Amino acid sequence: MKAIQAEDLCYTYEDGTVALDHITFAAEQGKVTGILGANGAGKSTLFLSLNGVLTPRSGKVLLGGQPVRYDKKGLLELRRRVGIVFQDPDDQLFSADVYRDVSFGGVNLGLPAEEVRRRVEDALERTGVSHLRDKPTHALSYGQKKRVAIAGVLVMEPEVLILDEPTAGLDPQGVSDIMKLLTRLRDELGMTVLIATHDMDIVPLYCDYAYLLGGGKVLMEGTPEQLFADPAALRANHLRLPRIAHLMEVLRDVDGLDADRSAATIGAARREILRMLKEENQ
Amino acid sequence: MGTDRYAYQSCLRRVSPLPKLLLTVVALVICLCCDSVAVGIATLILMGVLITALGGLSPRVYLHFLKVPLIFLVIGCLTIVAGAYPAGTAVVAAIPVGDSLWGFTADGLWLGGRIFCKALGAVGCMYFLALNTPVTDLTMALGKLHVPKLLVELMELIYRFIFVLAETAANIRTAQDSRLGYRGFRRSVSSLGMLASMVFLRAWRKAERIYTALESRGYTGGLTTLNDAYRPGWGLLPLAVLTAAGQIAIWFVEGRLLG
């Protein structure tokens, strides 16, 4: 089932920049979908359109198969069901108190106080920041702020969670922690996760499906393996293959080995190398 | 924001801000109304005891925090105490300058002393609030006391983004400094001007992004949030009464002694 779809979505900024040019895409329910693209490819504009912050010039957004309405009620409903985590947590955390910031979205939904409290506790627990509730926002590290920002969106219990560059600026441990958190949300809650990224190494590990965006258009779509089969298109868009897939490409094109170029994770590469060694020995 | 760090560590942090605010305001009003040396000093000491005994702050830190306003107070009171008087006035100490005497009179000293002690007591009261209550709790309490919502929300946003802007400014300054932007007076002035305009521009852009982020979380014109559970802190109310009684008692005793 498609959780969220865009059909022929177009958006032009006031200065005439075409940010989205007939974008059609769909994110499968309970999957992690990656939106790949260079800076300025239109990822952020697409995300803001999916959450109703920007109203598309033409085309439509479908949520659970139903077209989104842009009146007040429709927008509130859309924002409840689709949550965005912005790239810079300092743009999102407006309160100096962690607990109060997280509660904001829940209060806006008009829920009773006990329900908001339950959800805040749940969100703090899930993102692993319960112990930070006594600290002011400005005393948190960048990674901790990022988690609090995610908790602030989870409190609305969205069906679709959108993250703009979730791994930017984090240390390797932080990247792995955030991505594991997202996989848990997908597996335990069946949440649909959309991530915009140009961190290519996380794509084969965590994305079930991916789109390549460039110049406001969808240039390619498929499983990560399908996308990595066309490295030229990635490179033309200022991206690259994941390091491991690149190694496989070199083994194949330079060394003439029978390596599968779509082996982009350590596990897949290991299997591939063992297979080649075995064939060599025979 | 030195006091804020201690407010988050205070034993009274989780106590509802309302009784804390009440204790502060009552003690503050009495201290200001009595207008006496003894009550001022007593308030300062009482607040010190409350801050260290209830809040768990070390007395050293409290004394350290008193140093900052002390400098302002000394300078401020000196200008009240010292003055030019016509020749022949009964002065305590003075030097003749032309036709007049420059120095202190007994009345002036007494007035300066009263203002100094009164202000010091008031500072003690404010420290009780500031060292035990995070700003976000305080604004929440103001909201509950029906201070206009717009004001309260502005205070909250300003407080949060002071830190973000300060960090931005510090980063720009480091970047300028690393390229020798602060060598020499002329260059420093021009760099500082650039920094100010950059901070302003970034604040402008940031405001737009924050608005977008708020909107995506269902912002419809109000920054209503829920606070983490407070302890009611009714125990502070008898303490507030005791403090007030102590202040007034000292005021009476002082009045008796001075006849």
Side-chain angles (χ1 to χ4, degrees):
Chain A
M1 205 186 86
K2 311 284 184 210
I4 191 162
Q5 286 162 276
E7 276 180 10
D8 266 336
L9 214 59
C10 294
Y11 189 85
T12 315
Y13 281 103
E14 284 85 5
D15 61 355
T17 323
V18 179
L20 302 180
D21 188 3
H22 298 278
I23 286 209
T24 298
F25 102 110
E28 197 73 28
Q29 164 81 47
K31 299 274 189 232
V32 176
T33 305
I35 308 284
L36 315 179
N39 297 325
K43 291 172 292 183
S44 302
T45 315
L46 173 64
F47 282 181
L48 293 177
S49 308
L50 294 179
N51 177 263
V53 172
L54 299 179
T55 312
R57 222 38 37 124
S58 66
K60 55 186 168 183
V61 175
L62 296 124
L63 191 58
Q66 296 295 314
V68 166
R69 284 175 302 124
Y70 287 90
D71 53 11
K72 206 175 164 195
K73 224 176 135 193
L75 280 179
L76 199 67
E77 171 82 358
L78 178 63
R79 282 167 195 165
R80 181 181 69 75
R81 294 171 63 185
V82 180
I84 297 195
V85 179
F86 289 83
Q87 181 178 349
D88 184 354
D90 275 330
D91 289 345
Q92 194 171 332
L93 305 175
F94 70 91
S95 174
D97 187 290
V98 168
Y99 191 98
R100 288 182 56 188
D101 195 282
V102 173
S103 76
F104 179 66
V107 173
N108 284 337
L109 294 180
L111 300 167
E114 301 79 64
E115 174 63 10
V116 177
R117 284 189 196 288
R118 187 194 65 74
R119 287 185 178 202
V120 172
E121 294 298 332
D122 189 54
L124 290 174
E125 198 64 49
R126 267 187 199 287
T127 49
V129 289
S130 283
H131 62 293
L132 301 176
R133 58 171 18 147
D134 278 335
K135 287 197 175 170
T137 316
H138 48 262
L140 306 183
S141 73
Y142 187 80
Q144 291 171 329
K145 280 186 195 167
K146 197 118 200 171
R147 286 159 169 281
V148 173
I150 295 178
V153 173
L154 285 184
V155 89
M156 301 174 84
E157 300 194 345
E159 293 155 31
V160 180
L161 184 67
I162 298 178
L163 300 102
D164 198 357
E165 301 286 355
T167 59
L170 296 176
D171 54 24
Q173 176 78 50
V175 170
S176 143
D177 286 349
I178 288 274
M179 292 316 292
K180 277 185 190 138
L181 165 66
L182 297 181
T183 350
R184 268 208 311 281
L185 291 175
R186 174 193 66 186
D187 297 341
E188 291 169 15
L189 303 177
M191 210 175 264
T192 306
V193 180
L194 262 160
I195 54 175
T197 188
H198 40 226
D199 181 353
M200 296 305 289
D201 291 313
I202 63 166
V203 175
L205 283 171
Y206 301 105
C207 292
D208 301 303
Y209 202 77
Y211 286 82
L212 174 64
L213 243 60
K217 290 190 175 77
V218 172
L219 300 176
M220 253 206 300
E221 62 172 292
T223 59
E225 291 75 22
Q226 285 169 332
L227 257 65
F228 300 148
D230 188 0
L234 294 175
R235 286 174 186 139
N237 281 284
H238 302 252
L239 298 173
R240 59 168 175 81
L241 285 176
R243 295 284 180 215
I244 306 265
H246 192 186
L247 170 67
M248 290 298 160
E249 188 193 27
V250 171
L251 286 177
R252 184 191 162 100
D253 295 350
V254 180
D255 302 323
L257 291 175
D258 174 33
D260 178 4
R261 268 197 315 207
S262 67
T265 60
I266 288 182
R270 182 171 171 232
R271 275 194 301 279
E272 193 60 15
I273 290 171
L274 288 175
R275 182 187 63 80
M276 285 190 291
L277 282 175
K278 232 177 251 166
E279 277 174 11
E280 193 110 319
N281 289 339
Q282 278 169 4
Chain B
M1 294 310 225
T3 55
D4 206 51
R5 199 154 56 91
Y6 292 99
Y8 278 95
Q9 293 166 358
S10 158
C11 302
L12 294 177
R13 154 133 177 54
R14 283 273 159 236
V15 171
S16 165
L18 278 173
K20 285 187 276 190
L21 194 61
L22 188 82
L23 192 149
T24 306
V25 170
V26 169
L28 184 67
V29 167
I30 294 177
C31 174
L32 292 180
C33 289
C34 288
D35 192 13
S36 93
V37 172
V39 174
I41 292 171
T43 311
L44 182 71
I45 294 170
L46 270 173
M47 288 301 142
V49 169
L50 287 179
I51 291 171
T52 46
L54 293 180
L57 192 77
S58 89
R60 263 223 345 256
V61 179
Y62 180 61
L63 290 177
H64 166 77
F65 272 114
L66 282 180
K67 264 192 265 172
V68 184
L70 210 60
I71 296 164
F72 287 100
L73 275 179
V74 167
I75 295 170
C77 288
L78 267 181
T79 59
I80 295 172
V81 169
Y85 302 96
T89 320
V91 289
V92 177
I95 43 170
V97 179
D99 283 344
S100 53
L101 286 168
W102 289 55
F104 314 105
T105 61
D107 278 351
L109 276 177
W110 195 233
L111 178 71
R114 274 211 315 272
I115 292 179
F116 181 81
C117 292
K118 187 167 76 170
L120 215 53
V123 165
C125 296
M126 291 318 286
Y127 271 146
F128 174 76
L129 191 65
L131 288 168
N132 291 313
T133 324
V135 171
T136 45
D137 285 6
L138 196 61
T139 48
M140 195 105 191
L142 291 179
K144 274 186 192 143
L145 293 173
H146 301 290
V147 173
K149 222 171 150 188
L150 181 71
L151 261 180
V152 174
E153 286 176 1
L154 266 178
M155 280 168 76
E156 282 180 354
L157 286 179
I158 289 169
Y159 176 70
R160 162 82 180 102
F161 288 105
I162 280 173
F163 294 97
V164 178
L165 274 188
E167 207 183 301
T168 312
N171 286 343
I172 297 176
R173 207 202 132 92
T174 313
Q176 287 177 326
D177 210 10
S178 73
R179 284 172 291 167
L180 304 178
Y182 288 93
R183 254 181 97 197
F185 180 70
R186 281 177 69 94
R187 219 169 312 172
S188 299
V189 171
S190 122
S191 291
L192 201 64
M194 228 147 40
L195 182 140
S197 63
M198 278 302 287
V199 168
F200 179 75
L201 275 178
R202 290 208 188 167
W204 191 267
R205 242 176 277 153
K206 186 136 218 136
E208 241 163 62
R209 288 206 296 266
I210 291 158
Y211 184 75
T212 311
L214 283 177
E215 234 191 345
S216 78
R217 284 206 279 166
Y219 175 72
T220 47
L223 294 178
T224 321
T225 51
L226 270 186
N227 55 272
D228 207 348
Y230 291 133
R231 291 205 305 273
W234 297 127
L236 283 179
L237 293 187
L239 272 177
V241 174
L242 273 178
T243 310
Q247 283 173 307
I248 292 171
I250 284 173
W251 187 57
F252 272 117
V253 171
E254 190 197 30
R256 272 285 160 75
L257 288 179
L258 294 177

